Amino acid sequence: RILAYLSKKEYLTCKLVCKRWDALRHDVAIMRKALFSRKVTRSKIRSVSSGNFLDGRSIKSVSSGGKISLTPPRNHNLQFFYWDLIELEDGIYNIKSATSNAFIDGRHKGIGNGVHTKLNNRIDDSSASQNNYYKWRVKKHQNGCVTRYSIQSVSSGLYLDGRSPKDVGDQLFLTGRNPEGDNFLMWEIGFEN
């Protein structure tokens, strides 16, 4: 499995010295293809309860591990509202800001409810795909013809909470509540676009 993350030079060196290369070659090719051909959806992520957007900010804003801002709708600087949802496996994603290239950090188990989420742009795509702190379970919820999503951290088990319209700025909350029927834990994501 580790062979899939090697640089081309390391890959070729390993190929020369590894006695089991023929047995591993097929598995490595499949893993490399999976790593470099992941489905990425670019979308705004908007809270159903507050109407506010997740704001990925600029690279300068998150260089020291900035918090994620909830920002009301506006007509300018819309690029900060776009996120790349990188599908890792069925229903599990890395969520990366399209502007700051920072990943949402879901924190550790037992952290409890609160404003704990952070953005981290000091981790690369390959590392983020292997680290549970940056993995999110995105679950579809259907209410009639309306589709919404809950977003749960794989590492902490907590959900992103969009809060109320008055909760703007660095107010993105993590909570352990059940998302069923809870609009505070529902998000609009443009998977259909």
Side-chain angles (χ1 to χ4, degrees):
R1 187 175 172 114
I2 193 74
L3 294 174
Y5 299 99
L6 298 177
S7 69
K8 184 175 182 179
K9 182 179 177 183
E10 293 167 329
Y11 182 83
L12 293 173
T13 302
C14 184
K15 182 178 176 181
L16 292 173
V17 298
C18 184
K19 292 180 182 178
R20 292 183 43 207
W21 179 251
D22 286 335
L24 295 173
R25 185 172 41 110
H26 181 70
D27 292 341
V28 169
I30 290 171
M31 287 192 68
R32 288 180 71 83
K33 183 178 179 184
L35 276 174
F36 300 110
S37 64
R38 291 204 165 110
K39 181 179 176 190
V40 177
T41 301
R42 181 162 286 182
S43 177
K44 295 177 185 175
I45 302 176
R46 184 176 186 180
S47 167
V48 170
S49 62
S50 69
N52 294 327
F53 290 94
L54 291 188
D55 187 332
R57 303 182 176 193
S58 66
I59 291 173
K60 184 178 176 184
S61 299
V62 298
S63 61
S64 61
K67 293 200 175 198
I68 301 170
S69 187
L70 287 170
T71 303
R74 61 183 182 214
N75 294 324
H76 62 285
N77 292 329
L78 299 180
Q79 71 273 18
F80 298 121
F81 295 160
Y82 283 94
W83 296 83
D84 290 336
L85 288 94
I86 305 163
E87 188 171 15
L88 303 175
E89 53 193 88
D90 191 32
I92 305 293
Y93 295 82
N94 286 141
I95 304 176
K96 179 180 178 181
S97 166
T99 52
S100 67
N101 289 319
F103 291 91
I104 301 178
D105 181 342
R107 313 297 293 178
H108 58 83
K109 194 153 205 67
I111 194 165
N113 298 343
V115 183
H116 303 303
T117 55
K118 291 185 177 184
L119 287 170
N120 183 345
N121 65 354
R122 296 181 181 163
I123 187 167
D124 60 49
D125 290 13
S126 178
S127 298
S129 72
Q130 297 300 307
N131 188 324
N132 283 345
Y133 282 75
Y134 305 103
K135 292 181 181 181
W136 295 86
R137 184 172 289 106
V138 179
K139 184 177 177 193
K140 186 176 188 176
H141 299 265
Q142 199 71 37
N143 185 1
C145 61
V146 178
T147 301
R148 299 200 169 129
Y149 300 88
S150 59
I151 305 173
Q152 181 185 32
S153 167
V154 170
S155 59
S156 69
L158 301 175
Y159 292 89
L160 292 183
D161 184 334
R163 322 247 351 241
S164 70
K166 67 179 177 52
D167 294 310
V168 296
D170 296 341
Q171 294 294 318
L172 184 61
F173 206 77
L174 283 173
T175 185
R177 293 192 318 269
N178 182 339
E180 290 300 327
D182 189 337
N183 277 342
F184 287 86
L185 307 185
M186 291 293 125
W187 298 87
E188 296 170 353
I189 302 173
F191 280 123
E192 290 75 31
N193 296 339

